[in-house]
Amino acid sequence: MANTAEQETQATLDESATPILELADATIKFGGLTAVDSVSFTLNKGDLFGLIGPNGAGKTTVFNIITGVYKPTSGDILFNGRNIAGLKPEKVAQLGICRTFQNIRLFGSLSVLENVVVGGFLRKKTGLFSALALLPPAVNETTELRKKAMDLLEVMDLADVAQSRAADLPYGKQRRLEIARAMATGPDLILLDEPAAGMNPQEKEALATTVRRIRDDFDKTVLLIEHDMRFVMNLCERIVVLDHGVEISAGTPDIVRNDPKVIEAYLGEESE
Amino acid sequence: MNPAVEIQKPSLLKFWGSRVISAIAAIAFCAGIQSLGGPLADNEFLYRIIVLSGLYVTLAVSLNLINGITGQFSIGHAAFYQVGAYTAGYLTVRMFSTQQIGEVPWLILMCLVGAAAAAITGLIVGLPSLRLKGDYLAIVTLGFGEIIRIIAINIDEVGGAYGLSIVPKIQSPWLIWALAILCIAVCRNLLKTAHGLPFLAVREDEVASSAMGVSTTKIKVTAFVIGSSFAGAAGALLAHYEAFITPDMFKMEVSFIVLTMVVIGGTGSITGSTVAALALFLLPEWLRGLKEANGDALVVSAPQLLGATLAIIAYIALARRVRDHYHGKPIQKAGFQFGVAAASLVLFFLFKAVFAQIGGLAGHEGWEINSLRMAIFAAVLIVIMLLRPQGVFGHHEFSWAWLKSLFVKKKQEAS
Ligand SMILES: Nc1ncnc2c1ncn2[C@@H]1O[C@H](COP(=O)(O)OP(=O)(O)OP(=O)(O)O)[C@@H](O)[C@H]1O
Ligand SMILES: [Mg+2]
């Protein structure tokens, strides 16, 4: 893959003018617990952005309020300039944000291919009646969706298991299938929640290449959560660090890596 | 590992060819049912159950769309059957003689009316309960089934507890089976196209479905309304075939039997629901034989109701297990669930013994076989759940390719 430093300067020079996602003082409280506390950051189009922090920092909760699983208690979430805070998850997906799940949530008894078709179905054009009567429009669209899904499976290196039951896949492949399914919805922004969790070093390497491809070849903006520091620092161009729901640091991997607050947060975690 | 799949458009010839063949087969089948009336003229009972089993196929396959394919938990399907039956039956009584419409077109119209009435009812019942997470639908449909029956008992305009006599009698055996085939075709078509996948996805994981842009409420309500409307159309045909309907024909027992058919057949499998519907409807009817005593409705229904209640407890315990199985969760508290199921069965037989004494004193024997039927269903259900929680057919469907593969394999083994 090309020089990330070069891409970074390019990103900051040309494209910083087009923010795609802005969190403005996003806050969510669960009873007495403030899981996300006035978090603000901005993703620009084409960013490969990392969200890190110790366990329980509120990272997944940030994904949940972006994708409409929870409505933020206060604050705004702007996607392409539109406030999406509190929209239903399906609406958010239709607008062009899709995600993967930390605790894999595939459609277990469907085939790998069918899982991806469910993602692609979001952009369907034919109606239910056409399907119930098995009219050519629905049949042809089904073929097209399956073809597109198959193409995505090739990209994610899952073509050989297309007909397997999703639940029967090994862990690493399930994670890749989650990404393929999310990609199938045709999002502008893709959120990956710990995509490398449970992978071995080779799989992680391949995953990093794939994530770069998603950004470079498919023109997606990527926001990812990851615990593996090496993985994040090598892959992401900008990073936000959360701890106890609060944003404690932000910037390039170098800035974040050397930030005393970040070191302290992670050390604190280790000593706990 | 499976090889990568080639995805191609079906050729035009194959696409239309298979549909024409299916249509011809369906027409031939319906014509066959209709013409069986001749040779079976002296065995009216046999012909009757062959015809009526078509209604149970419709009921089971349509409930399978809601419970099996979409993973919801409706346990009051008889309510929609009843709504269709009463709406269509009442309209025929009031209006048929004033219209200049032939019998068959009128019957088809009444099917549509029954379906529409059940669909609207389904929307009213389903919309509020399907928006919520959890088993609200089960509670609501169970309650609704009883409410609608009691409403019918209390409206004299539709005959109250005595029932509604539908004149003129418009029987059309082929139409009953045409509806069953339509119901099977609609469900199969749904699963053949990508449009069926969101339904399955909702069953598998609602959170993931909505994250993929699936409007889960819309999908659940759609399945519920389509399923209910088929039950309504079946009700309309029942009313006209029997020419007499009573609230008793739509008791919880009916819902329970249809549920059993779906679970035993393999929740999600259309083939399974169809085969189980036929087996579970035809076998006991056969056993019951011609000389079914119609008995005193009140004495008949008391032990049945009790049996049904206990069996439903067993059912709920077991259905939870099926759901956990779907979601790939480890089956938790299975021991407890089976305890509940077994205890309810034991209780059932105990009560039955007591009632048998009372019934014997009162000289009623008619309900014996009927309530035993419930017990047999419950027992079969438990055995199936133990040995094969995914149902007899699991998620599998009958297909010609599968049939062919059986023979091809055999040939290869032989050579
Ligand atoms: N629905 C909820 N109700 C109550 N508390 C919640 C809920 N969801 C999350 N939390 C709490 O919010 C905090 C942040 O959780 P979150 O899952 O976002 O952490 P995370 O940064 O993703 O951690 P990890 O690295 O372990 O995945 C935790 O204390 C968690 O218990
Ligand atoms: Mg998390």
Side-chain angles (χ1 to χ4, degrees):
Chain A
M1 271 295 119
N3 192 332
T4 42
E6 193 180 292
Q7 277 165 359
E8 186 200 322
T9 37
Q10 215 181 342
T12 40
L13 285 181
D14 310 344
E15 287 179 313
S16 58
T18 47
I20 184 166
L21 182 79
E22 284 179 78
L23 267 71
D25 289 326
T27 302
I28 185 164
K29 293 181 179 150
F30 296 115
L33 176 86
T34 308
V36 176
D37 196 350
S38 293
V39 169
S40 305
F41 59 83
T42 302
L43 263 74
N44 292 326
K45 235 178 193 122
D47 270 352
L48 218 171
F49 203 100
L51 180 60
I52 64 170
N55 286 108
K59 305 178 297 290
T60 299
T61 308
V62 166
F63 274 21
N64 284 339
I65 58 179
I66 294 172
T67 56
V69 175
Y70 300 130
K71 185 177 163 51
T73 314
S74 63
D76 292 334
I77 298 162
L78 301 177
F79 179 61
N80 287 328
R82 170 175 179 179
N83 195 354
I84 57 164
L87 288 186
K88 283 188 169 171
E90 59 262 31
K91 187 74 196 148
V92 174
Q94 278 152 17
L95 289 176
I97 302 181
C98 204
R99 69 177 292 182
T100 65
F101 293 91
Q102 179 177 356
N103 49 337
I104 300 175
R105 303 191 81 129
L106 291 169
F107 306 123
S109 70
L110 302 190
S111 75
V112 168
L113 184 72
E114 285 170 333
N115 268 271
V116 182
V117 175
V118 173
F121 192 74
L122 175 59
R123 310 284 167 208
K124 67 143 175 55
K125 292 177 207 78
T126 58
L128 184 63
F129 178 78
S130 175
L132 296 183
L134 207 65
L135 297 180
V139 175
N140 293 340
E141 183 162 50
T142 300
T143 314
E144 268 162 40
L145 284 170
R146 287 167 64 88
K147 269 190 185 149
K148 276 189 195 151
M150 206 58 219
D151 291 345
L152 266 173
L153 287 178
E154 303 271 1
V155 173
M156 297 306 298
D157 200 16
L158 289 167
D160 56 334
V161 289
Q163 302 288 46
S164 307
R165 240 171 66 105
D168 295 342
L169 291 188
Y171 204 70
K173 288 190 178 182
Q174 290 199 358
R175 288 232 175 266
R176 289 218 300 280
L177 177 54
E178 278 247 347
I179 300 177
R181 185 179 67 174
M183 288 282 290
T185 65
D188 296 325
L189 171 63
I190 183 163
L191 312 180
L192 308 176
D193 198 342
E194 303 198 17
M199 286 188 173
N200 63 35
Q202 288 94 322
E203 283 177 320
K204 280 184 187 172
E205 191 70 32
L207 178 71
T209 312
T210 312
V211 173
R212 282 197 197 96
R213 258 195 88 182
I214 288 172
R215 196 271 305 269
D216 298 337
D217 299 354
F218 293 87
D219 291 328
K220 310 285 180 203
T221 306
V222 180
L223 172 60
L224 69 86
I225 296 174
E226 192 44 68
H227 272 296
D228 184 324
M229 282 308 142
R230 260 187 48 159
F231 185 87
V232 187
M233 297 289 170
N234 285 335
L235 188 61
C236 297
E237 294 135 8
R238 284 200 300 142
I239 293 168
V240 160
V241 190
L242 292 187
D243 188 24
H244 296 296
V246 182
E247 193 180 323
I248 55 166
S249 181
T252 61
D254 271 334
I255 295 174
V256 167
R257 203 186 338 242
N258 300 314
D259 189 330
K261 277 197 224 150
V262 177
I263 296 166
E264 195 188 330
Y266 275 91
L267 284 179
E269 188 194 28
E270 267 160 38
S271 63
E272 260 167 25
Chain B
M1 287 292 129
N2 301 301
V5 270
E6 272 294 313
I7 293 154
Q8 281 171 344
K9 261 191 190 178
S11 75
L12 270 179
L13 181 70
K14 211 174 156 191
F15 179 72
W16 289 108
S18 73
R19 304 188 64 183
V20 168
I21 292 170
S22 307
I24 291 173
I27 291 168
F29 186 83
C30 290
I33 291 282
Q34 185 76 13
S35 58
L36 257 183
L40 286 181
D42 47 340
N43 196 346
E44 211 177 299
F45 176 75
L46 179 63
Y47 186 55
R48 208 178 104 81
I49 63 170
I50 288 176
V51 172
L52 288 182
S53 61
L55 293 178
Y56 272 81
V57 170
T58 307
L59 288 175
V61 173
S62 60
L63 184 65
N64 180 53
L65 175 61
I66 303 168
N67 286 22
I69 294 172
T70 318
Q72 301 310 299
F73 200 40
S74 167
I75 56 179
H77 213 44
F80 303 101
Y81 195 36
Q82 180 179 357
V83 167
Y86 270 85
T87 312
Y90 182 72
L91 276 181
T92 297
V93 172
R94 300 306 303 262
M95 293 177 68
F96 180 66
S97 55
T98 67
Q99 305 295 316
Q100 302 295 319
I101 305 179
E103 288 197 346
V104 169
W106 175 264
L107 209 48
I108 293 173
L109 183 67
M110 285 305 103
C111 261
L112 293 174
V113 169
I120 292 165
T121 321
L123 199 63
I124 295 167
V125 172
L127 200 57
S129 38
L130 287 166
R131 294 176 92 108
L132 303 167
K133 298 214 155 57
D135 287 340
Y136 292 96
L137 189 68
I139 300 156
V140 170
T141 48
L142 186 70
F144 179 69
E146 284 306 284
I147 289 168
I148 201 90
R149 201 166 63 81
I150 290 162
I151 289 176
I153 290 175
N154 286 295
I155 298 179
D156 291 336
E157 183 69 13
V158 293
Y162 175 72
L164 179 66
S165 188
I166 291 136
V167 278
K169 189 168 185 167
I170 315 172
Q171 280 191 336
S172 186
W174 70 269
L175 202 53
I176 287 178
W177 271 96
L179 179 68
I181 291 170
L182 180 70
C183 185
I184 292 172
V186 160
C187 292
R188 249 189 100 86
N189 290 350
L190 181 66
L191 293 189
K192 270 189 172 176
T193 53
H195 292 70
L197 289 172
F199 291 80
L200 296 168
V202 165
R203 174 185 83 191
E204 299 288 316
D205 190 325
E206 277 193 41
V207 173
S209 300
S210 57
M212 295 307 125
V214 174
S215 169
T216 54
T217 305
K218 197 172 145 193
I219 290 287
K220 289 189 280 185
V221 171
T222 304
F224 192 67
V225 167
I226 294 176
S228 302
S229 59
F230 271 107
L237 289 176
L238 172 82
H240 289 91
Y241 190 78
E242 298 284 34
F244 187 67
I245 45 174
T246 70
D248 257 11
M249 292 161 79
F250 307 96
K251 275 192 303 207
M252 220 198 288
E253 187 196 327
V254 175
S255 295
F256 175 66
I257 289 171
V258 175
L259 261 171
T260 311
M261 290 166 175
V262 172
V263 173
I264 288 184
T267 29
S269 167
I270 301 164
T271 317
S273 304
T274 308
V275 173
L278 288 175
L280 288 188
F281 181 76
L282 292 178
L283 282 177
E285 289 291 336
W286 219 299
L287 292 174
R288 178 146 63 176
L290 264 166
K291 291 181 290 175
E292 161 83 59
N294 268 328
D296 180 322
L298 234 146
V299 181
V300 171
S301 55
Q304 274 185 16
L305 227 102
L306 203 61
T309 312
L310 293 170
I312 279 172
I313 296 171
Y315 177 79
I316 290 177
L318 294 165
R320 286 244 161 85
R321 208 193 130 151
V322 177
R323 197 182 47 193
D324 289 352
H325 173 80
Y326 274 150
H327 295 189
K329 283 183 211 148
I331 291 155
Q332 283 164 353
K333 287 191 273 178
F336 171 73
Q337 291 176 358
F338 283 109
V340 171
S344 55
L345 263 194
V346 168
L347 265 174
F348 172 67
F349 280 110
L350 254 167
F351 277 118
K352 225 188 79 62
V354 173
F355 272 100
Q357 287 300 319
I358 302 167
L361 291 176
H364 286 287
E365 287 168 39
W367 55 270
E368 270 288 332
I369 293 166
N370 255 331
S371 47
L372 197 63
R373 213 152 60 119
M374 299 296 294
I376 292 170
F377 279 175
V380 168
L381 202 64
I382 286 174
V383 170
I384 295 247
M385 289 301 120
L386 272 173
L387 299 179
R388 214 175 140 76
Q390 69 274 46
V392 173
F393 283 79
H395 293 311
H396 300 290
E397 294 291 354
F398 169 82
S399 73
W400 295 113
W402 170 79
L403 199 69
K404 215 165 95 184
S405 75
L406 283 185
F407 289 105
V408 172
K409 244 184 237 156
K410 268 185 196 139
K411 257 187 219 155
Q412 281 171 347
E413 276 161 13
S415 62

